[in-house]
Amino acid sequence: MQDRGMLPSAARPPVVRVAGVGSGPEHRPGAHTRAGNAMNRTRAGLLSGAARAFAEHGVRRSTMQSIAAAAGVAKATLYNHFRTKDEVAAALLAVELDRLSALAASLPRDQALGALSDELGAHPVLRRLAVTEPEALTALLAVDSEQWAQLSSRLAAALQVDGDGAELVGRWLLGVVLQPGRSTTRHRLADRLAAALVAAPA
C-alpha cells in the first residue's frame, strides 16, 4: 500500500462541522444552512492551508500570515475564525482525530490498523517536526492521563476492541509516529496485532 499523508490535501479538505448560524424569524428557511455550509467550507480551507504551512515550515516557523497565504485568503479571514496559531493547530488536530477515527471504524480491524499506521507514518507535519522540531513532537505526544484515556476510548470504539486492546494499539501507534519504518513492515505488524486483539464485549 502506498504511504499517504495524514493531513488532508487541498483536493480532500477536512470535514469540519460548525453549528448553523441564526434560527430566528429573520432568517429564511435554509438560509442559516447555506451560511453554515459556507462557514464550514471556509474553515476547512483554512485548516487545509494550515496543514500545508505546517508541513512546509514546521509549526514554530509558521505564522498566521503564512497559514493565510497557504489557504489563499487574507489574514483577516483567518483571524475571523482563529485568534492564534495555537488555536489553528488545536482545530487541525481535532479534525484529524475525527477523520482517523472514522477511517478506523470503516474498515476491518487488520486493515484499519494498517491504514492508521500509514496515515501516521507518512504524516508530513510529524515528519517535519521529527527532523526540525523534535521538542515540539515530544510535546505533542506527551498527553496527560485524561487525554490518553480519551484517545484510548476513541480507539476502542472505532476498532471495537476492549480497553486493554485500545491501550496496546495506542502505544503501538505512538511508536509508529516516532519511528515509522517501512509500510510493508507496519502492515505485517498490524496483522499480528489485529490477531492478538480481543473484541469488546457486546
Side-chain angles (χ1 to χ4, degrees):
M1 179 181 293
Q2 183 179 2
D3 282 351
R4 293 176 295 141
M6 175 182 175
L7 292 175
S9 67
R12 187 188 61 184
V15 176
V16 185
R17 291 177 174 81
V18 180
V21 295
S23 57
E26 70 277 14
H27 292 274
R28 299 184 308 276
H32 65 283
T33 301
R34 288 193 295 274
N37 288 341
M39 185 179 294
N40 282 353
R41 288 192 297 271
T42 300
R43 186 179 173 92
L46 294 173
L47 294 179
S48 290
R52 290 189 292 272
F54 291 160
E56 182 177 355
H57 306 293
V59 175
R60 185 176 57 223
R61 295 181 59 191
S62 293
T63 64
M64 292 294 273
Q65 179 61 54
S66 66
I67 293 170
V73 300
K75 188 164 64 171
T77 300
L78 179 61
Y79 276 110
N80 283 338
H81 292 262
F82 304 103
R83 291 174 296 177
T84 66
K85 182 174 66 176
D86 286 345
E87 282 191 6
V88 176
L92 181 61
L93 178 60
V95 165
E96 284 300 289
L97 288 174
D98 286 345
R99 185 176 71 81
L100 292 176
S101 295
L103 173 66
S106 70
L107 296 170
R109 191 176 299 146
D110 57 339
Q111 294 179 30
L113 291 173
L116 289 176
S117 73
D118 280 344
E119 294 282 346
L120 294 172
H123 184 326
V125 175
L126 294 179
R127 300 283 58 83
R128 165 67 71 171
L129 294 181
V131 173
T132 63
E133 301 176 44
E135 71 286 352
L137 179 60
T138 300
L140 177 66
L141 300 179
V143 297
D144 60 30
S145 58
E146 182 178 348
Q147 292 170 319
W148 180 256
Q150 292 172 353
L151 289 171
S152 294
S153 178
R154 293 184 73 155
L155 280 172
L159 297 170
Q160 294 296 299
V161 297
D162 63 10
D164 286 346
E167 184 86 9
L168 183 60
V169 170
R171 294 183 183 280
W172 177 63
L173 291 175
L174 281 180
V176 169
V177 172
L178 293 171
Q179 184 55 255
R182 296 174 59 86
S183 180
T184 52
T185 301
R186 293 195 302 268
H187 280 251
R188 188 169 65 249
L189 295 177
D191 288 342
R192 295 187 65 173
L193 181 56
L197 292 175
V198 176

